[in-house]
Amino acid sequence: MRILVAGFQHETNTFASSKAAYDGFVRGGMFPSIARGEGVIALRDVNIPVSGFIRSMTGPDVRLVPVIWAAATPSAHITTDAFERIAGEILSVAPSQPLDGICLDLHGAMVREHVDDGEGELLQRLRSDARPEPLSDGGGRAGIDENSRQQEFGAFSRGFSTDRQLDPGGQGARCRRCRSSRPPLETLAGRHSPETSGTSL
């Protein structure tokens, strides 16, 4: 089983004065700096959603295909340059790999210049490029941030049962169970609606 793993997180505050440029994701700020390839796997001991997923996906039949993980300190809109560079790395790998699934560690409140729903844009592009194989969307975002576009193009998502700051790694680990509870292949083929899970505080 080959699972592509990537993360692209930003909590956009549209009223803020400074935008999130590419360099902000390179540095990370309050988050780990940008990671690629095996550097994504090295995040397994950091308390972020993708780390829990990585730790939970073990076994001789599992092969993770790490691409990129990037996050920046909350700010105003993500610049088009930053979005296209980071999303472009994910989109360049996904169609070229024989994959059984895709795990994306997303926040859910990303706004890029000229596009109100950054995650929905990324998911829609992935969906349009994907072959009929499982698409798993569900590391980090909480249901309270989701909108219809993210629900439409993601196979399933997981929200937090506590504050998102308390257990992000545990939430990522639970995505493995979510994957097995309903085959995302059936969702991708249109036989089921996307699964979502809201936030309960």
Side-chain angles (χ1 to χ4, degrees), residues 137-150:
D137 162 35
R141 70 179 191 260
I144 196 170
D145 293 326
E146 291 171 4
N147 60 44
S148 58
R149 194 177 186 201
Q150 292 173 35

Side-chain angles (χ1 to χ4, degrees), residues 126-176:
L126 271 173
R127 178 72 75 173
S128 66
D129 290 340
R131 299 168 305 284
E133 296 168 343
L135 175 63
S136 325
D137 162 35
R141 70 179 191 260
I144 196 170
D145 293 326
E146 291 171 4
N147 60 44
S148 58
R149 194 177 186 201
Q150 292 173 35
Q151 293 178 9
E152 177 182 358
F153 293 106
F156 63 78
S157 61
R158 290 286 299 184
F160 289 91
S161 57
T162 61
D163 185 278
R164 71 165 64 234
Q165 311 300 333
L166 298 180
D167 189 30
Q171 188 61 40
R174 285 187 283 276
C175 286
R176 179 186 177 120

